[in-house]
Amino acid sequence: MTLEKGLCYRECVKNLRWIRIERRLLLVLLLTLLPWPAVWFGLYRFDNLALTFALYHGLCLAPAIYWGRKLWRHSLRWPTAREWAVLAVAVVVAIPASVAAYHWIGARLFDAHEVLSVVTHRGFRTQLLIPLALYFIPVNATLEELFWRGVVLNELRGMGEAVWTFGAVWTALAFGGWHYLVIRLLLRPGWAELTVLGIVISGIFFAWLYRRTRSIVVPILWHGLVFDMAIIFVFAAVLRG
């Protein structure tokens, strides 16, 4: 009888543990969907880029980053000399390649006049390009990586290796998916969906980079200096054109 009670107790504890994990998993997954309504309200309801950044960064990302700070603080390691060298090569290649790609096939991807109309309608002015770059490159990259990889991915990792693998894919899908709300306003149909796929792949790359280097700083630098900086340079080329 004592043995039966012991087995029953262990089974109950195991079931309660899985119930807690499932609830926590559901909460984390719902957290990754918050950017959708935030960006939709900012871009489509209020037609305001500044408000969109405020809702996404301030309402969705910042509270979760603070709440989950214990999950990413241990990985605040500065890159090694080799990691800096690889990053420098990536920057040197990515920036001119992105600008060259814009001049080569940009007209197929989007109408520059339409792009300018979309962003100016939502509050952007040409003289704001440098302030935008100074904010977008360091702040957006830092907040996004701390949230998607530092908090969400680490939280899922704590639930088991299988969940972490699922989390690497899920965070990439959720990270890339909400960008469609922005990209569909700028790129032609077909190209918008292809670009979102590229963002999903970059999300998987950031997760791999984080796990390989065990430093959240490394994907932050790649995100900001390679990907976000390339976007700013292409946008500057659009403005000049």
Side-chain angles (χ1 to χ4, degrees), residues 54-65:
L55 290 174
Y56 176 49
H57 289 162
L59 185 63
C60 298
L61 306 193
I65 290 169

Side-chain angles (χ1 to χ4, degrees), residues 160-215:
E161 187 65 24
V163 179
W164 190 95
T165 302
F166 159 77
V169 177
W170 174 260
T171 53
L173 289 171
F175 168 68
W178 77 259
H179 282 79
Y180 182 69
L181 293 173
V182 180
I183 293 170
R184 67 182 296 271
L185 295 174
L186 307 174
L187 301 187
R188 303 184 195 277
W191 289 106
E193 290 75 14
L194 189 61
T195 301
V196 169
L197 177 60
I199 296 173
V200 171
I201 293 172
S202 71
I204 295 175
F205 169 71
F206 292 143
W208 171 83
L209 195 62
Y210 182 33
R211 185 167 195 178
R212 179 179 177 83
T213 64
R214 297 182 181 180
S215 168

